[in-house]
Amino acid sequence: MTREFSYSLEAGGRAAESVPSEPKLLVERLSVSYDGVAALRSVNLSIYPNEVLALTGPGGSGKTTLLRTINRLNDRIRSARVTEGRVLLDGEDVYGPDVDAYAIRQRMAMVFALPTPLPKSIFDNVAYGPRVAGIRKMARLREIVERALRDAILWDEVSSRLGDPAMTLSGGQQQRLCIARALAQQPEVLLLDEPCSGLDPISTLKIEDALRKLKEQYTIVLVSHNTQQAARVADRIAFLLMGELVEHGRADQVVTSPADTRTADYFQGRFG
Amino acid sequence: MTIPIDVETKHRIVVVLLWLAALVALAVLAFIIAVVLWNGLPAVTLSFLLESPRDMGRAGGIFPMVVSTVAVTLLAVIVAAPLGVGTAIYLTEYTSETALTRVIRFGAECLAGVPSIIFGLFGFIFFVIQLGMGWSVLSGGLTLAVMILPTVMRTAEEAIRAVPESFREASFSTGASRWQTVTQVVLPSALPGIVTGVILGVGRGVGETAAVIFTAGSSLHIPTSIFSPARTMAVHFYILAREGISMRHAYGTAAVLVILILAINTAANWLMLRFQAKQG
């Protein structure tokens, strides 16, 4: 599963990599601001197929903004502007003039910090994405829903009560339901924004287990301010601070021998 | 000199006062309903409900008025509900807060405060005369629609605004379009509030006199189409009482009207509960 990278350190501590495959996502000189206040400053980042990349850093460092800019969910925020740079998905500019933002979001599913079940049944929640995409046949929907629930390690807990309201699930179950909903839309990239922030350790463990399996099929970007979680789950870690990408590289390398003192300070718990 | 009162006593006084306020409000309502039913129910028989009035309403029943009331109100709701909910969706989901949206909202609030007789006058001049619809179910229904539109719109807007933003984000993140998000997630969540607004509108429409007496007319016959003139129960009650034709039948009509409104509210509540139980 592990991909070998060779690293050479540049000035500023950034790791430049020579890699075997084309990046799934390429973030180039990306700057984003809210009402003129910069939230991201010229971020460069490559994300490769079938890896888990953890975006980590203290609150307000721009992790969530980066995630929401990648799948154009920030289009909804009126004050948000991409002031510079671009995001490429399979080489195609996500903000290109002919690009359909809805199709982009379908290809890059999102799971939010707090569970966001829709006020529908468990089944209808998971079937939401496929239905939106136009799938109507019940047999096909059932198939997709079961697979998504199995992949999110929730099937055994809910298979007998798919018609129940999603709100009757526990917090941890709701979050796995949201992962299942994201999977059911058959995306290429999974964007997870602090998916375990409101959960207990057992639920967190279940979600981390699910992620390790899911990267076989998807490219995963995981936002987490929790450095231990990043170290446990991620292949690579990117460390953001005040809108700047300070450092990124292989997870063990960033954790054990970071190139930048700010990264070291953060991972050793001196701030954040 | 203030009389020293300890906190516990103060608390008790406040509780008693608030309790009294609630009791008075409820008692007034109960008293009105009781008076209407007490005076009206003796007149209400099956033949009263199912017969046409004779001798200007001194004898016979109120069947044409029941039909007229239902027809005029139904027409008003069929017109006002889509318009009101549509405007609310536009204001909340499709546009940002601008001068125009503030004007629309302010206009709606003003419109909601206009006395119904003004709507009646407007309906008479515009629908009855200008558009040549005459005294008819159509004129009455459209006038009522204009009258209840602001209520329907504002309550729908509030209900839609109360839908958590996280629902919309979750929907958009699956690749859903704005319209899909509105129809699949936002409207179902806002439905209880929207229905409440429509019911408020129905209540206002069913009991309305001034706006329909000029527009639907006061025919004693059963309306056969939306172009027929009609006399609603409220108008019938008004004419019976105002012209001293029959207080007994006036109260009987009022009792039926009150029961109808209670029935509509109860049915709407029951439907809402069922819907929410299903949705969870």
PDB file of all heavy atoms in Angstrom, chain A residues 106-130:
ATOM      1  N   GLN A 106     -20.065  16.297  -7.118  1.00  0.00           N
ATOM      2  CA  GLN A 106     -20.435  14.885  -7.169  1.00  0.00           C
ATOM      3  C   GLN A 106     -19.167  14.027  -7.183  1.00  0.00           C
ATOM      4  O   GLN A 106     -19.124  12.972  -6.555  1.00  0.00           O
ATOM      5  CB  GLN A 106     -21.293  14.632  -8.424  1.00  0.00           C
ATOM      6  CG  GLN A 106     -21.896  13.238  -8.506  1.00  0.00           C
ATOM      7  CD  GLN A 106     -20.934  12.224  -9.104  1.00  0.00           C
ATOM      8  OE1 GLN A 106     -20.274  12.524 -10.095  1.00  0.00           O
ATOM      9  NE2 GLN A 106     -20.834  11.068  -8.482  1.00  0.00           N
ATOM     10  N   ARG A 107     -18.121  14.491  -7.854  1.00  0.00           N
ATOM     11  CA  ARG A 107     -16.889  13.695  -7.967  1.00  0.00           C
ATOM     12  C   ARG A 107     -16.044  13.779  -6.696  1.00  0.00           C
ATOM     13  O   ARG A 107     -15.165  12.957  -6.484  1.00  0.00           O
ATOM     14  CB  ARG A 107     -16.064  14.178  -9.159  1.00  0.00           C
ATOM     15  CG  ARG A 107     -16.716  13.848 -10.497  1.00  0.00           C
ATOM     16  CD  ARG A 107     -15.993  14.517 -11.646  1.00  0.00           C
ATOM     17  NE  ARG A 107     -14.649  13.969 -11.846  1.00  0.00           N
ATOM     18  CZ  ARG A 107     -13.749  14.516 -12.668  1.00  0.00           C
ATOM     19  NH1 ARG A 107     -14.051  15.604 -13.355  1.00  0.00           N
ATOM     20  NH2 ARG A 107     -12.559  13.975 -12.806  1.00  0.00           N
ATOM     21  N   MET A 108     -16.300  14.834  -5.877  1.00  0.00           N
ATOM     22  CA  MET A 108     -15.511  14.970  -4.648  1.00  0.00           C
ATOM     23  C   MET A 108     -16.457  15.103  -3.457  1.00  0.00           C
ATOM     24  O   MET A 108     -16.894  16.188  -3.107  1.00  0.00           O
ATOM     25  CB  MET A 108     -14.595  16.188  -4.763  1.00  0.00           C
ATOM     26  CG  MET A 108     -13.557  16.009  -5.849  1.00  0.00           C
ATOM     27  SD  MET A 108     -12.207  17.170  -5.734  1.00  0.00           S
ATOM     28  CE  MET A 108     -12.825  18.532  -6.709  1.00  0.00           C
ATOM     29  N   ALA A 109     -16.765  13.978  -2.848  1.00  0.00           N
ATOM     30  CA  ALA A 109     -17.753  13.957  -1.772  1.00  0.00           C
ATOM     31  C   ALA A 109     -17.168  14.532  -0.490  1.00  0.00           C
ATOM     32  O   ALA A 109     -15.959  14.517  -0.286  1.00  0.00           O
ATOM     33  CB  ALA A 109     -18.214  12.529  -1.527  1.00  0.00           C
ATOM     34  N   MET A 110     -18.045  15.032   0.358  1.00  0.00           N
ATOM     35  CA  MET A 110     -17.589  15.712   1.569  1.00  0.00           C
ATOM     36  C   MET A 110     -18.292  15.152   2.800  1.00  0.00           C
ATOM     37  O   MET A 110     -19.479  14.840   2.772  1.00  0.00           O
ATOM     38  CB  MET A 110     -17.931  17.196   1.413  1.00  0.00           C
ATOM     39  CG  MET A 110     -17.427  18.046   2.524  1.00  0.00           C
ATOM     40  SD  MET A 110     -16.319  19.268   1.811  1.00  0.00           S
ATOM     41  CE  MET A 110     -16.095  20.329   3.192  1.00  0.00           C
ATOM     42  N   VAL A 111     -17.520  15.029   3.873  1.00  0.00           N
ATOM     43  CA  VAL A 111     -18.103  14.674   5.169  1.00  0.00           C
ATOM     44  C   VAL A 111     -17.729  15.797   6.134  1.00  0.00           C
ATOM     45  O   VAL A 111     -16.575  16.203   6.189  1.00  0.00           O
ATOM     46  CB  VAL A 111     -17.576  13.313   5.670  1.00  0.00           C
ATOM     47  CG1 VAL A 111     -18.105  13.020   7.065  1.00  0.00           C
ATOM     48  CG2 VAL A 111     -17.949  12.212   4.705  1.00  0.00           C
ATOM     49  N   PHE A 112     -18.727  16.293   6.862  1.00  0.00           N
ATOM     50  CA  PHE A 112     -18.518  17.490   7.671  1.00  0.00           C
ATOM     51  C   PHE A 112     -18.130  17.152   9.111  1.00  0.00           C
ATOM     52  O   PHE A 112     -18.254  16.009   9.559  1.00  0.00           O
ATOM     53  CB  PHE A 112     -19.781  18.347   7.674  1.00  0.00           C
ATOM     54  CG  PHE A 112     -20.182  18.798   6.291  1.00  0.00           C
ATOM     55  CD1 PHE A 112     -21.006  18.014   5.498  1.00  0.00           C
ATOM     56  CD2 PHE A 112     -19.721  19.995   5.776  1.00  0.00           C
ATOM     57  CE1 PHE A 112     -21.365  18.415   4.230  1.00  0.00           C
ATOM     58  CE2 PHE A 112     -20.073  20.406   4.505  1.00  0.00           C
ATOM     59  CZ  PHE A 112     -20.897  19.615   3.723  1.00  0.00           C
ATOM     60  N   ALA A 113     -17.702  18.186   9.823  1.00  0.00           N
ATOM     61  CA  ALA A 113     -17.228  17.988  11.198  1.00  0.00           C
ATOM     62  C   ALA A 113     -18.325  17.431  12.098  1.00  0.00           C
ATOM     63  O   ALA A 113     -18.103  16.504  12.860  1.00  0.00           O
ATOM     64  CB  ALA A 113     -16.701  19.306  11.748  1.00  0.00           C
ATOM     65  N   LEU A 114     -19.503  18.028  11.997  1.00  0.00           N
ATOM     66  CA  LEU A 114     -20.626  17.493  12.769  1.00  0.00           C
ATOM     67  C   LEU A 114     -21.454  16.626  11.830  1.00  0.00           C
ATOM     68  O   LEU A 114     -21.596  16.952  10.661  1.00  0.00           O
ATOM     69  CB  LEU A 114     -21.480  18.633  13.322  1.00  0.00           C
ATOM     70  CG  LEU A 114     -20.789  19.487  14.379  1.00  0.00           C
ATOM     71  CD1 LEU A 114     -21.638  20.688  14.736  1.00  0.00           C
ATOM     72  CD2 LEU A 114     -20.484  18.659  15.625  1.00  0.00           C
ATOM     73  N   PRO A 115     -21.988  15.507  12.334  1.00  0.00           N
ATOM     74  CA  PRO A 115     -22.812  14.666  11.455  1.00  0.00           C
ATOM     75  C   PRO A 115     -23.965  15.494  10.884  1.00  0.00           C
ATOM     76  O   PRO A 115     -24.584  16.274  11.603  1.00  0.00           O
ATOM     77  CB  PRO A 115     -23.338  13.578  12.390  1.00  0.00           C
ATOM     78  CG  PRO A 115     -22.422  13.580  13.555  1.00  0.00           C
ATOM     79  CD  PRO A 115     -21.901  14.982  13.684  1.00  0.00           C
ATOM     80  N   THR A 116     -24.209  15.348   9.589  1.00  0.00           N
ATOM     81  CA  THR A 116     -25.281  16.113   8.947  1.00  0.00           C
ATOM     82  C   THR A 116     -26.278  15.183   8.273  1.00  0.00           C
ATOM     83  O   THR A 116     -26.469  15.259   7.067  1.00  0.00           O
ATOM     84  CB  THR A 116     -24.719  17.054   7.872  1.00  0.00           C
ATOM     85  OG1 THR A 116     -23.920  16.255   6.971  1.00  0.00           O
ATOM     86  CG2 THR A 116     -23.875  18.147   8.448  1.00  0.00           C
ATOM     87  N   PRO A 117     -26.920  14.281   9.052  1.00  0.00           N
ATOM     88  CA  PRO A 117     -27.939  13.449   8.411  1.00  0.00           C
ATOM     89  C   PRO A 117     -29.089  14.329   7.952  1.00  0.00           C
ATOM     90  O   PRO A 117     -29.419  15.305   8.610  1.00  0.00           O
ATOM     91  CB  PRO A 117     -28.389  12.499   9.527  1.00  0.00           C
ATOM     92  CG  PRO A 117     -28.054  13.204  10.787  1.00  0.00           C
ATOM     93  CD  PRO A 117     -26.859  14.059  10.500  1.00  0.00           C
ATOM     94  N   LEU A 118     -29.655  14.000   6.795  1.00  0.00           N
ATOM     95  CA  LEU A 118     -30.824  14.740   6.325  1.00  0.00           C
ATOM     96  C   LEU A 118     -32.050  14.191   7.050  1.00  0.00           C
ATOM     97  O   LEU A 118     -32.047  13.041   7.487  1.00  0.00           O
ATOM     98  CB  LEU A 118     -30.968  14.575   4.815  1.00  0.00           C
ATOM     99  CG  LEU A 118     -29.829  15.201   4.015  1.00  0.00           C
ATOM    100  CD1 LEU A 118     -29.881  14.759   2.557  1.00  0.00           C
ATOM    101  CD2 LEU A 118     -29.896  16.708   4.101  1.00  0.00           C
ATOM    102  N   PRO A 119     -33.092  14.993   7.194  1.00  0.00           N
ATOM    103  CA  PRO A 119     -34.284  14.523   7.914  1.00  0.00           C
ATOM    104  C   PRO A 119     -35.075  13.517   7.085  1.00  0.00           C
ATOM    105  O   PRO A 119     -36.206  13.751   6.701  1.00  0.00           O
ATOM    106  CB  PRO A 119     -35.077  15.818   8.159  1.00  0.00           C
ATOM    107  CG  PRO A 119     -34.641  16.735   7.068  1.00  0.00           C
ATOM    108  CD  PRO A 119     -33.225  16.377   6.753  1.00  0.00           C
ATOM    109  N   LYS A 120     -34.434  12.403   6.795  1.00  0.00           N
ATOM    110  CA  LYS A 120     -35.042  11.341   6.003  1.00  0.00           C
ATOM    111  C   LYS A 120     -34.672  10.009   6.662  1.00  0.00           C
ATOM    112  O   LYS A 120     -33.933   9.989   7.635  1.00  0.00           O
ATOM    113  CB  LYS A 120     -34.475  11.350   4.582  1.00  0.00           C
ATOM    114  CG  LYS A 120     -34.738  12.621   3.804  1.00  0.00           C
ATOM    115  CD  LYS A 120     -33.944  12.588   2.506  1.00  0.00           C
ATOM    116  CE  LYS A 120     -34.188  13.834   1.668  1.00  0.00           C
ATOM    117  NZ  LYS A 120     -35.540  13.922   1.122  1.00  0.00           N
ATOM    118  N   SER A 121     -35.152   8.922   6.077  1.00  0.00           N
ATOM    119  CA  SER A 121     -34.806   7.617   6.629  1.00  0.00           C
ATOM    120  C   SER A 121     -33.333   7.300   6.355  1.00  0.00           C
ATOM    121  O   SER A 121     -32.670   7.983   5.567  1.00  0.00           O
ATOM    122  CB  SER A 121     -35.686   6.546   5.997  1.00  0.00           C
ATOM    123  OG  SER A 121     -35.293   6.352   4.655  1.00  0.00           O
ATOM    124  N   ILE A 122     -32.834   6.265   7.036  1.00  0.00           N
ATOM    125  CA  ILE A 122     -31.451   5.842   6.841  1.00  0.00           C
ATOM    126  C   ILE A 122     -31.214   5.530   5.368  1.00  0.00           C
ATOM    127  O   ILE A 122     -30.257   6.004   4.748  1.00  0.00           O
ATOM    128  CB  ILE A 122     -31.156   4.603   7.718  1.00  0.00           C
ATOM    129  CG1 ILE A 122     -31.220   5.004   9.199  1.00  0.00           C
ATOM    130  CG2 ILE A 122     -29.808   3.999   7.380  1.00  0.00           C
ATOM    131  CD1 ILE A 122     -31.188   3.830  10.163  1.00  0.00           C
ATOM    132  N   PHE A 123     -32.134   4.760   4.789  1.00  0.00           N
ATOM    133  CA  PHE A 123     -32.003   4.380   3.380  1.00  0.00           C
ATOM    134  C   PHE A 123     -31.988   5.612   2.475  1.00  0.00           C
ATOM    135  O   PHE A 123     -31.106   5.770   1.630  1.00  0.00           O
ATOM    136  CB  PHE A 123     -33.151   3.452   2.973  1.00  0.00           C
ATOM    137  CG  PHE A 123     -33.044   2.956   1.559  1.00  0.00           C
ATOM    138  CD1 PHE A 123     -32.381   1.765   1.279  1.00  0.00           C
ATOM    139  CD2 PHE A 123     -33.596   3.675   0.509  1.00  0.00           C
ATOM    140  CE1 PHE A 123     -32.270   1.308  -0.023  1.00  0.00           C
ATOM    141  CE2 PHE A 123     -33.478   3.224  -0.795  1.00  0.00           C
ATOM    142  CZ  PHE A 123     -32.818   2.037  -1.064  1.00  0.00           C
ATOM    143  N   ASP A 124     -32.947   6.511   2.694  1.00  0.00           N
ATOM    144  CA  ASP A 124     -33.062   7.677   1.820  1.00  0.00           C
ATOM    145  C   ASP A 124     -31.859   8.610   1.942  1.00  0.00           C
ATOM    146  O   ASP A 124     -31.505   9.309   0.998  1.00  0.00           O
ATOM    147  CB  ASP A 124     -34.356   8.456   2.116  1.00  0.00           C
ATOM    148  CG  ASP A 124     -35.586   7.701   1.626  1.00  0.00           C
ATOM    149  OD1 ASP A 124     -35.410   6.785   0.804  1.00  0.00           O
ATOM    150  OD2 ASP A 124     -36.704   8.022   2.084  1.00  0.00           O
ATOM    151  N   ASN A 125     -31.250   8.634   3.128  1.00  0.00           N
ATOM    152  CA  ASN A 125     -30.041   9.421   3.282  1.00  0.00           C
ATOM    153  C   ASN A 125     -28.936   8.914   2.378  1.00  0.00           C
ATOM    154  O   ASN A 125     -28.299   9.682   1.664  1.00  0.00           O
ATOM    155  CB  ASN A 125     -29.560   9.369   4.736  1.00  0.00           C
ATOM    156  CG  ASN A 125     -29.920  10.629   5.501  1.00  0.00           C
ATOM    157  OD1 ASN A 125     -29.209  11.625   5.433  1.00  0.00           O
ATOM    158  ND2 ASN A 125     -31.042  10.581   6.192  1.00  0.00           N
ATOM    159  N   VAL A 126     -28.711   7.596   2.420  1.00  0.00           N
ATOM    160  CA  VAL A 126     -27.622   7.032   1.625  1.00  0.00           C
ATOM    161  C   VAL A 126     -27.966   7.100   0.137  1.00  0.00           C
ATOM    162  O   VAL A 126     -27.102   7.336  -0.704  1.00  0.00           O
ATOM    163  CB  VAL A 126     -27.316   5.586   2.069  1.00  0.00           C
ATOM    164  CG1 VAL A 126     -26.133   5.039   1.294  1.00  0.00           C
ATOM    165  CG2 VAL A 126     -27.033   5.544   3.559  1.00  0.00           C
ATOM    166  N   ALA A 127     -29.255   6.919  -0.177  1.00  0.00           N
ATOM    167  CA  ALA A 127     -29.675   6.923  -1.587  1.00  0.00           C
ATOM    168  C   ALA A 127     -29.783   8.338  -2.145  1.00  0.00           C
ATOM    169  O   ALA A 127     -30.055   8.503  -3.336  1.00  0.00           O
ATOM    170  CB  ALA A 127     -31.019   6.214  -1.731  1.00  0.00           C
ATOM    171  N   TYR A 128     -29.537   9.350  -1.303  1.00  0.00           N
ATOM    172  CA  TYR A 128     -29.753  10.735  -1.744  1.00  0.00           C
ATOM    173  C   TYR A 128     -28.876  11.085  -2.958  1.00  0.00           C
ATOM    174  O   TYR A 128     -29.384  11.565  -3.969  1.00  0.00           O
ATOM    175  CB  TYR A 128     -29.479  11.697  -0.593  1.00  0.00           C
ATOM    176  CG  TYR A 128     -29.844  13.125  -0.932  1.00  0.00           C
ATOM    177  CD1 TYR A 128     -31.163  13.541  -0.914  1.00  0.00           C
ATOM    178  CD2 TYR A 128     -28.867  14.053  -1.308  1.00  0.00           C
ATOM    179  CE1 TYR A 128     -31.508  14.832  -1.246  1.00  0.00           C
ATOM    180  CE2 TYR A 128     -29.205  15.345  -1.645  1.00  0.00           C
ATOM    181  CZ  TYR A 128     -30.527  15.730  -1.606  1.00  0.00           C
ATOM    182  OH  TYR A 128     -30.868  17.011  -1.950  1.00  0.00           O
ATOM    183  N   GLY A 129     -27.574  10.819  -2.828  1.00  0.00           N
ATOM    184  CA  GLY A 129     -26.652  11.157  -3.920  1.00  0.00           C
ATOM    185  C   GLY A 129     -27.006  10.462  -5.225  1.00  0.00           C
ATOM    186  O   GLY A 129     -27.154  11.113  -6.259  1.00  0.00           O
ATOM    187  N   PRO A 130     -27.163   9.123  -5.194  1.00  0.00           N
ATOM    188  CA  PRO A 130     -27.534   8.421  -6.432  1.00  0.00           C
ATOM    189  C   PRO A 130     -28.845   8.943  -7.023  1.00  0.00           C
ATOM    190  O   PRO A 130     -28.950   9.081  -8.243  1.00  0.00           O
ATOM    191  CB  PRO A 130     -27.701   6.965  -5.978  1.00  0.00           C
ATOM    192  CG  PRO A 130     -26.959   6.854  -4.705  1.00  0.00           C
ATOM    193  CD  PRO A 130     -26.861   8.206  -4.102  1.00  0.00           C
TER     194      PRO A 130
END
